[in-house]
Amino acid sequence: MENGFQREREERKKMEGTVKNCPFRTNYHIMPPVGWLNDPNGLCQFGGVFHVYFQYSPLNVHGGGGYWGHCTSRDLFHWTYEEPALTTDIPEDRSGVYSGSALIEDGRMYLFYTGNVKLPGDYDYVDAGRISTQLMVESGDGFHMSEKRKILGMEDYPEHMTEHVRDPKVWKENGRYYLVLGARARAWDSEGKRRDKGGVLIYVSDNKKDWSLCREIVPEKAFGYMWECPDIFVLDGKRVLSFCPQGLEREKERFQNLYQSGYSLMDKGKSLEETFTEWDMGFDFYAPQTFEAEDGRRILIAWAGVPDTEQTHRNLSVKNGWQHCLTFPGELTFQDGRIFRRPARELENLGWQKAELENGRYDWAGKTVRLTAEGIGEDGWTARIGDGENALTVRVMGDRTELSFLDENGNPAKCGGGRGVRVGRTKGKTEQIQILIDSSIAEIYVNGGEIVFTTRIYLEKEERGLKVSGEGNCRLEVI
Ligand code: FRU
């Protein structure tokens, strides 16, 4: 068991200098200490301290898993890196300690996750060769973990499920415990062609140890072939199902990324597909998870990345031994029938200083930036982040916001690593926009969080310019 943790420590030490000196390291976002990071896991506030665990591959910058990384914070923006909390050390999780969640109860933390096994051999890993086990560990402090305990196995899933069943999110309601899992059901279309359907399984328990299936949700008509990272919570009295469907066909201004993440309202008398709304319109957003802070706020953190995108775009930090980060924590509220996401209010306490645009320009090298424009007029508003042609353009016009890394001839800018264009629309006119830039990540909140764009951007320090044009009251703050 010590072995895995030892290897992580050695790798971290070996790469420390290279990683630390990388110009793309952020100031306030959670990153892998070395190697690769993906989904946020086990999000919670425990005795005042925020704990974020994450899918972590210290030994391979291109992923592969193996660990739950761990960091803590008192304010959601300054993070301390802790020793990893979990690694693969029992037969049930030998190919991966996959995603999961935390439940806090009576001063104890309970973590639920999927142990993944891929048997060596010639398997498709859908119908054969994969074992997905749901496991639980307990902790009195968030750092030291109990023995792992199996709570659900292949024998507990419905017959028509494939072997893809994972990512337990657990909550307590009316004295009982509930656990939702993402799943892929075997299905065939009218011509007899295999066409799997994504869905979720909901289990119930009275003691967190013995679970029985209480509901299965698989839509009539397929809405993607697999749903990952489900989350169920109540926001302003409305029950929300958040999930990550894979296999949705791209539409012009919807589902622009390879895999999606969004939410549906569960109590609307409408199908989940009908109310499905994307969480984010940018290039880099997947596997969000929410938790309730001690003061009752519903906070969301996501991976600022998407699986399997190596072919379309890249993260230029790979050469320095690391890639990916998590998003800023966002506060969720219900407004006009949909969920708004704003940066957690602790952002206000970071010590922002007013800065001035000179002739509409600012040089932000080394600084974290917040640019706000209000009262955007008919003629629209534009910001360019970068240097000359090597820039990201954020264009607002009417109800439409566009992020573009392309120049006038349609060539992608170096700082986008292959990223092109993303579009989002607000219900009415777009009047307000807030752009947060922390080194290599930009998060753009439109109309107070009605739509949000998350994107990575790789500018060298000397390339970090900012240019604004168009009508609207602009405020620039930096730290
Ligand atoms: C989503 C995901 C999860 C899985 C984890 C493995 O990005 O594929 O479904 O638990 O990543 O790292």
Side-chain angles (χ1 to χ4, degrees):
M1 170 161 157
E2 262 313 300
N3 249 343
F5 292 111
Q6 183 69 31
R7 274 204 299 277
E8 189 271 343
R9 265 197 296 275
E10 282 164 14
E11 188 65 18
R12 191 162 17 113
K13 210 150 191 315
K14 190 177 98 194
M15 293 299 293
E16 204 176 14
T18 317
V19 170
K20 222 189 241 157
N21 288 327
C22 177
F24 305 128
R25 291 300 271 184
T26 66
N27 298 315
Y28 301 103
H29 286 76
I30 295 169
M31 301 166 287
V34 60
W36 158 287
L37 157 155
N38 56 299
D39 314 357
N41 294 154
L43 304 184
C44 61
Q45 189 177 13
F46 183 38
V49 177
F50 294 102
H51 290 260
V52 170
Y53 303 88
F54 51 86
Q55 288 289 296
Y56 179 33
S57 307
L59 309 178
N60 186 346
V61 70
H62 299 290
Y67 297 80
W68 270 34
H70 183 199
C71 51
T72 54
S73 171
R74 289 206 164 258
D75 70 355
L76 293 169
F77 290 92
H78 295 90
W79 294 97
T80 305
Y81 290 92
E82 314 290 354
E83 296 292 310
L86 298 173
T87 189
T88 52
D89 49 20
I90 56 166
E92 289 84 351
D93 66 16
R94 65 176 177 270
S95 316
V97 284
Y98 271 18
S99 285
S101 58
L103 177 81
I104 304 295
E105 193 179 38
D106 301 331
R108 283 188 79 71
M109 182 191 285
Y110 300 85
L111 296 174
F112 299 84
Y113 73 98
T114 302
N116 187 47
V117 173
K118 283 175 97 173
L119 300 170
D122 183 21
Y123 294 112
D124 66 359
Y125 299 107
V126 177
D127 289 322
R130 183 186 295 272
I131 307 170
S132 302
T133 307
Q134 315 310 325
L135 297 142
M136 176 175 87
V137 296
E138 286 182 45
S139 177
D141 58 8
F143 301 96
H144 302 91
M145 301 295 156
S146 71
E147 297 251 290
K148 297 169 173 175
R149 178 189 189 108
K150 173 176 171 179
I151 53 165
L152 288 167
M154 301 302 278
E155 60 285 3
D156 299 306
Y157 314 135
E159 202 31 49
H160 53 280
M161 287 297 146
T162 66
E163 292 173 352
H164 283 285
V165 180
R166 59 173 167 269
D167 308 337
K169 177 82 196 307
V170 175
W171 73 102
K172 191 176 179 183
E173 193 172 319
N174 299 328
R176 305 192 86 190
Y177 305 96
Y178 293 87
L179 179 155
V180 59
L181 289 168
R184 169 172 177 164
R186 247 175 248 117
W188 289 264
D189 68 14
S190 53
E191 274 130 48
K193 204 168 147 255
R194 180 78 181 261
R195 197 148 186 261
D196 288 353
K197 289 180 181 180
V200 298
L201 301 172
I202 302 173
Y203 288 79
V204 62
S205 170
D206 290 315
N207 60 9
K208 302 188 281 289
K209 292 171 183 148
D210 308 299
W211 296 85
S212 50
L213 185 65
C214 78
R215 192 170 166 198
E216 177 183 330
I217 304 176
V218 178
E220 241 336 89
K221 191 168 158 273
F223 189 66
Y225 60 81
M226 168 73 193
W227 292 3
E228 293 189 314
C229 302
D231 191 353
I232 292 180
F233 56 92
V234 175
L235 188 67
D236 292 343
K238 289 171 199 70
R239 190 174 295 272
V240 177
L241 168 64
S242 167
F243 60 105
C244 298
Q246 300 189 315
L248 297 183
E249 221 163 280
R250 186 184 166 145
E251 296 172 13
K252 192 153 174 276
E253 293 180 1
R254 267 186 110 197
F255 313 150
Q256 298 163 81
N257 289 340
L258 182 54
Y259 302 132
Q260 319 310 325
S261 37
Y263 64 89
S264 297
L265 303 180
M266 293 182 80
D267 306 321
K268 269 255 170 150
K270 285 189 183 165
S271 72
L272 295 176
E273 308 88 278
E274 271 173 285
T275 63
F276 186 81
T277 308
E278 289 176 78
W279 279 119
D280 194 281
M281 304 311 290
F283 298 89
D284 299 278
F285 187 97
Y286 195 71
Q289 185 176 98
T290 72
F291 70 102
E292 193 182 334
E294 287 171 351
D295 61 8
R297 283 179 294 163
R298 178 63 52 180
I299 303 211
L300 177 148
I301 300 177
W303 172 26
V306 178
D308 305 331
T309 48
E310 294 78 8
Q311 300 309 315
T312 53
H313 58 256
R314 287 164 305 285
N315 296 307
L316 307 188
S317 58
V318 167
K319 63 174 187 292
N320 293 321
W322 70 283
Q323 69 171 322
H324 291 305
C325 66
L326 300 182
T327 64
F328 267 152
E331 276 181 42
L332 305 183
T333 53
F334 220 91
Q335 255 169 271
D336 301 335
R338 57 162 118 183
I339 298 176
F340 278 51
R341 181 166 107 244
R342 294 188 180 82
R345 64 193 65 167
E346 286 83 348
L347 181 79
E348 301 307 322
N349 307 332
L350 294 184
W352 296 99
Q353 311 249 316
K354 218 169 168 309
E356 296 298 332
L357 290 153
E358 279 171 37
N359 301 322
R361 285 162 177 271
Y362 185 79
D363 182 0
W364 56 279
K367 298 213 165 62
T368 301
V369 175
R370 170 157 75 170
L371 174 68
T372 314
E374 259 145 22
I376 296 172
E378 294 299 313
D379 298 334
W381 183 89
T382 302
R384 262 174 87 73
I385 305 163
D387 181 33
E389 290 292 304
N390 187 25
L392 166 68
T393 307
V394 181
R395 219 174 265 122
V396 182
M397 177 75 90
D399 65 353
R400 186 177 192 275
T401 301
E402 179 190 272
L403 260 58
S404 174
F405 282 101
L406 305 183
D407 68 16
E408 282 165 9
N409 304 317
N411 297 318
K414 184 174 103 293
C415 66
R419 290 164 182 80
V421 178
R422 289 291 179 269
V423 172
R425 283 186 196 266
T426 46
K427 262 192 190 163
K429 202 172 120 349
T430 296
E431 277 162 0
Q432 192 258 11
I433 187 165
Q434 180 173 91
I435 302 180
L436 292 168
I437 317 166
D438 180 10
S439 180
S440 60
I441 179 167
E443 284 154 292
I444 300 167
Y445 299 80
V446 182
N447 274 359
E450 181 184 344
I451 55 172
V452 186
F453 294 81
T454 301
T455 186
R456 302 303 303 278
I457 173 167
Y458 296 93
L459 293 159
E460 298 294 338
K461 290 228 161 102
E462 60 281 5
E463 298 170 337
R464 294 182 183 172
L466 180 63
K467 253 167 66 180
V468 178
S469 55
E471 198 192 314
N473 300 322
C474 245
R475 192 170 73 238
L476 180 66
E477 294 152 290
V478 296
I479 339 170

